[in-house]
């Protein structure tokens, strides 16, 4: 059976939702976030989910 290259949809959905949330919270006139503490947490989780997507994709492509 062939190994299929693909991304983990769970982490992709998390990254998509967090990206949209960060975009909505950004005030483009002042370039500040509405709730800085929560937006920092959102950004950290967004970076972790993107890292896990890339890591999982690389592991699947090596097999």
């Amino acid at each position: 059976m062939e190994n299929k290259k693909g991304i983990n949809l769970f982490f992709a959905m998390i990254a998509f939702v967090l990206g949209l949330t960060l975009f909505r919270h950004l005030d483009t006139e002042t370039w500040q976030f509405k709730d800085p503490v929560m937006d920092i947490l959102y950004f950290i989780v967004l970076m972790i989910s993107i890292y896990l997507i890339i890591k999982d994709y690389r592991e699947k492509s090596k097999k």
Side-chain angles (χ1 to χ4, degrees):
M1 197 174 232
E2 295 179 20
N3 290 335
K4 294 183 180 179
K5 294 182 186 178
I7 62 172
N8 191 337
L9 291 178
F10 178 72
F11 291 121
M13 291 291 288
I14 290 174
F16 181 73
V17 170
L18 288 174
L20 282 178
T21 303
L22 284 172
F23 184 72
R24 287 183 192 159
H25 282 198
L26 180 65
D27 184 14
T28 55
E29 292 179 7
T30 61
W31 292 102
Q32 293 181 350
F33 289 106
K34 293 179 183 177
D35 189 10
V37 176
M38 284 301 293
D39 292 330
I40 290 171
L41 181 63
Y42 291 156
F43 183 75
I44 291 170
V45 175
L46 175 67
M47 290 298 116
I48 291 171
S49 64
I50 290 173
Y51 169 76
L52 291 173
I53 289 169
I54 293 170
K55 180 183 169 190
D56 189 39
Y57 182 75
R58 285 186 179 177
E59 287 177 2
K60 284 183 182 179
S61 64
K62 286 183 181 179
K63 290 181 180 181

